[in-house]
Amino acid sequence: MSVYAFIFARGNSKGLPGKNIRMLGGHPLIAHSIRVAQQVAGIDRIFVSTDSDEIAVIAETYGVTVIRRPDELATDTAPEWLAWRHAISYLHAQGHKFDVFVSLPATSPLRSVEDVEQCLACIDRHTDVVVTVTPASRSPFFNMVVRDSDGVSQLVCSGSSAHRRQDAPAVYDMTTVAYVATPTFILTNERIFSGRVRSVIVPRHRAVDIDDIYDFKMAEMLLADKENNYVGR
């Protein structure tokens, strides 16, 4: 099967301006996704979809192909699903046919090569999408609530008969470590959970999703700790 990897990176981040080109561990943030993709066995081509000239230059410096994203698909309100469709349709129009689509968001720089390879191993004819998850620190059965305008609150899963956390189903947070799907599924459906979804569990220290400066500082700390441990071996 032919496997194409994509990194979707807008230039106008609001939570942390310029985050995709912000330096982390000696490389721009987006480069961490590129470098992992370059090490994954089975990935044939790597593309960066962006509206930003700065991001495009960095992507080309790291040896990957740039797909120019239309401005209307690079706003805060534009669903990334539409950017996925645009990239696939653009490549199809260029004569590129591929079997597996992989998205490696720039905001998840601590993923490992093995995380991505596990996701690729899970995609088959019975699976439409593979996502990554990490154990949740809170549970809708015990300490997650919904509330109305008067502040009246109740548990998200208020009808559950589980009285101990150990008796409730394990719950997970979705992460941005990796998404794997078929191009056909993306082009013919409206969202991830329209199909049969499988998940791969990744540890929390590799599942940091950078949205603001606090997330970035956490990533810096974890990356430094990883590098120090490696040097110490």
Side-chain angles (χ1 to χ4, degrees), residues 128-161:
D128 297 306
V129 185
V130 179
V131 301
T132 50
V133 299
T134 197
S137 58
R138 295 185 176 275
S139 169
F141 297 94
F142 290 96
N143 52 20
M144 294 181 67
V145 303
V146 290
R147 62 195 301 273
D148 64 19
S149 58
D150 294 322
V152 176
S153 305
Q154 63 179 357
L155 286 170
V156 174
C157 295
S158 58
S160 171
S161 59

Side-chain angles (χ1 to χ4, degrees), residues 21-153:
I21 59 174
R22 193 180 182 102
M23 297 301 290
L24 174 68
H27 296 275
L29 181 62
I30 190 172
H32 290 269
S33 294
I34 294 171
R35 295 174 76 219
V36 165
Q38 290 170 335
Q39 298 174 65
V40 173
I43 288 180
D44 300 295
R45 295 285 303 275
I46 305 168
F47 301 87
V48 166
S49 167
T50 187
D51 62 314
S52 164
D53 291 339
E54 288 181 284
I55 292 174
V57 168
I58 291 171
E60 289 170 346
T61 298
Y62 280 84
V64 301
T65 304
V66 173
I67 296 174
R68 289 291 182 167
R69 195 190 315 187
D71 290 341
E72 63 270 20
L73 297 182
T75 66
D76 286 339
T77 57
E80 186 156 307
W81 190 262
L82 297 183
W84 290 9
R85 283 184 170 182
H86 170 264
I88 294 168
S89 297
Y90 173 85
L91 290 177
H92 282 180
Q94 301 298 313
H96 292 273
K97 301 298 181 184
F98 57 103
D99 302 300
V100 179
F101 166 101
V102 182
S103 173
L104 302 175
T107 56
S108 190
L110 303 182
R111 68 171 65 81
S112 70
V113 170
E114 291 74 21
D115 293 330
V116 182
E117 290 177 343
Q118 273 192 282
C119 291
L120 285 171
C122 286
I123 195 76
D124 58 30
R125 64 189 182 89
H126 302 295
T127 304
D128 297 306
V129 185
V130 179
V131 301
T132 50
V133 299
T134 197
S137 58
R138 295 185 176 275
S139 169
F141 297 94
F142 290 96
N143 52 20
M144 294 181 67
V145 303
V146 290
R147 62 195 301 273
D148 64 19
S149 58
D150 294 322
V152 176
S153 305

